[in-house]
Amino acid sequence: MQSPEASTAANPTQIHLALAAFADEVVGTLARLFAYVGILVLFAILGLAALGQLPNLRDDDPALKPDWSVADRSPPAFALSRLDSSEKTASYAIFRHPEGGRRDVMRWASEADRTVAELEIYREGGEFDVTRPATMDLAVRMGLGTATPLEQAGLIDTKLGPVALFQPTGTAEGARACLGYLKRSEEPALQISGFSCQGDSLPARRAAIACTLNRLTLLTSGNEPKLAELFAHAELKRRPCAPPGASDWLLGAANAQLRGAL
């Protein structure tokens, strides 16, 4: 039987051990709590950093950039004067870009609903990419694909000035291939382009393109005085449509030197 003195001596030791164990448990709990809080804070910081990077990721991903949309309520800004009253009206579509660009596109289709000619007037905005070759888009519009290179096929004279012609690289002389065309203007920032598959010969297709551009008129400049000035000066140089066999080449001897892959 344990004496009262021994029991009394053991109590302080047990109390001390119990307090030490409790203190260790509290310290361990606090350490685990701080660790959990630290992990939560770390996740929060990583989450905020990721959210902060989302706008940059959207800017870097072309698929997430704002794109062109059809502007159904915008009135046509251009037209083609008719050669005769029986001529069919082309389809007209307007596309706008959030960064200010506008495309007016006219298309002509055959009886089989195949596009045989197209004319696009592109008023450039902040979305315009100077590093992207214009002929790349032209090849796609001609149904050739971005991998098909185009070569220059001479120049034609129009009321808008010299216009460069393009055809698929390696097209044989006399082959019936669609002709593309491109005209750039710095002031105003304007690009007129398109293609034509009309005509049974190369001179006929050149004449068709020249006639289309000579008949192009401005309906409204949309508060762009430089655009109005450009077409006002062009009207002074307007000429009637030439027959397919007429000479529409500029610097005829130099045109052969313009052929080559782009």
Side-chain angles (χ1 to χ4, degrees), residues 65-86:
K65 288 184 178 180
D67 206 350
W68 295 89
S69 59
V70 179
D72 293 325
R73 298 184 179 181
S74 298
F78 302 90
L80 257 64
S81 58
R82 294 187 178 186
L83 291 176
D84 56 71
S85 58
S86 62

Side-chain angles (χ1 to χ4, degrees), residues 134-135 138 162-166 180-184 191-194:
T135 52
L138 184 58
V163 175
L165 300 177
F166 299 91
Y181 57 92
L182 179 66
K183 175 70 175 179
R184 287 291 311 276
Q191 180 173 285
I192 299 175
S193 62

Side-chain angles (χ1 to χ4, degrees), residues 86-155:
S86 62
E87 186 178 8
K88 293 183 179 179
T89 303
S91 65
Y92 198 115
I94 301 171
F95 303 89
R96 288 188 177 274
H97 196 278
E99 296 186 34
R102 169 171 169 151
R103 297 178 185 266
D104 289 63
V105 182
M106 304 181 202
R107 294 188 179 95
W108 293 262
S110 63
E111 295 180 357
D113 290 333
R114 174 177 171 269
T115 301
V116 296
E118 180 184 285
L119 168 63
E120 178 186 278
I121 302 95
Y122 173 25
R123 281 180 270 181
E124 302 163 4
E127 78 292 338
F128 181 70
D129 185 2
V130 295
T131 63
R132 180 179 177 85
T135 52
M136 182 182 297
D137 292 329
L138 184 58
V140 173
R141 288 158 53 194
M142 294 172 66
L144 301 174
T146 56
T148 303
L150 298 179
E151 64 178 11
Q152 287 197 17
L155 298 169

Side-chain angles (χ1 to χ4, degrees), residues 184-196:
R184 287 291 311 276
S185 169
E186 297 297 334
E187 288 292 337
L190 184 73
Q191 180 173 285
I192 299 175
S193 62
F195 65 90
S196 177

Side-chain angles (χ1 to χ4, degrees), residues 200-216:
D200 296 328
S201 63
L202 185 60
R205 289 190 288 277
R206 291 201 308 264
I209 294 173
C211 183
T212 297
L213 296 178
N214 284 328
R215 294 165 55 202
L216 180 63

